[in-house]
Structures are given as C-alpha cells and as structure tokens.
Amino acid sequence: DTATTQNLEISGVLMEKAGPSVRCLSKFGGTITGHGNSEQVGRVAFVATDCITPQGPIFNFDQGRFIIMTANGDQIFASYSGQFVPTGVGAAYTFNGATFQITGGNGRYVRATGGGALTGGQDMITGLGTVQLSGKIHYKVD
C-alpha cells in the first residue's frame, strides 16, 4: 500500500446548539451540524460534539469529536479543542488557539492521521457560524 500526505482545507457553515451534556465535566456542551467544500475531498457534511466551560467572557471547548462525511460516503474522524473569544461586536465570537487532530476514518481514510488549525466564528445567540479547517491529512492510497 502507498500512503500520501496532502493539504486539507475545508470551509463551511455551521449551526451549534448548546445545552446540558452529561458526558462533560462542566455538564455543558454543544452539538454542531454543518456543510462545506474542500478542494481535496469535495463537498462535505459534518457533525460534531464538544464540552464547553465558560471562563468569564471566554468559552473553552474541549473533548470535541468531528465526523466529516464526503459525498462518496467516506468519513474522516477528528478531535478538536480551543477557545471562543468575544469580538466586541454583539454576540459574535471567534476561535482562538483552536486545533484539530485526525484520528482515523472509514473507507479510504480508515487509518488517516494529521491535523491543523480551526478558524472561524459564531453568533452565540443564533448558533450560526463559519468554520475553516486548515492542515494536513495522511492516508493510504488504493
């Protein structure tokens, strides 16, 4: 089997619903759904969950789990963490120090690895936002 490492860039829109979460130490978490595009893997849909810990005006998020689904059914699994910090404009927040780590997948991404940076932002009242993943993915080629 041959392996390849390539850039992974995904840009998308998201909707987060925050609320009680028994799996989180803070007992507060988020559920995210969204969709986007990637030059490397095409159109994608994604779902994610994370734990949220408020710290003053900042929201720390960790124990994040992403599933990115490609149009052909292959999936990329990733974990993520970081912070949401206020922009000073209404309820708009932006990612700060957010990263993702690819932990596997299925189909062609069954043993994928890699990672990178998460950027974007969200309106904390509506839950609507944008997300960009920018990094590398390493996987076996058929």
Side-chain angles (χ1 to χ4, degrees):
D1 289 341
T2 305
T4 186
T5 299
Q6 59 179 244
N7 291 332
L8 179 64
E9 308 282 335
I10 298 173
S11 293
V13 294
L14 62 84
M15 173 66 181
E16 181 170 20
K17 189 169 199 140
S21 177
V22 295
R23 81 174 180 92
C24 300
L25 187 59
S26 66
K27 302 297 182 215
F28 188 64
T31 302
I32 299 164
T33 58
H35 60 89
N37 288 298
S38 169
E39 187 175 307
Q40 295 81 24
V41 298
R43 292 214 22 93
V44 298
F46 53 87
V47 294
T49 61
D50 56 28
C51 294
I52 303 168
T53 305
Q55 184 176 12
I58 295 171
F59 293 91
N60 296 305
F61 54 92
D62 61 9
Q63 297 182 45
R65 299 179 185 139
F66 242 125
I67 300 174
I68 301 163
M69 295 157 280
T70 66
N72 71 356
D74 291 339
Q75 297 179 359
I76 300 168
F77 306 149
S79 60
Y80 66 96
S81 63
Q83 292 182 323
F84 262 137
V85 297
T87 64
V89 178
Y93 277 64
T94 189
F95 290 116
N96 180 50
T99 60
F100 70 96
Q101 299 76 41
I102 297 171
T103 58
N106 72 7
R108 75 184 317 174
Y109 304 110
V110 71
R111 288 186 188 88
T113 59
L118 276 173
T119 57
Q122 177 178 323
D123 183 298
M124 296 300 270
I125 293 174
T126 66
L128 296 173
T130 60
V131 64
Q132 294 81 39
L133 284 74
S134 180
K136 301 273 188 193
I137 186 169
H138 179 82
Y139 63 97
K140 289 191 176 178
V141 180
D142 297 332

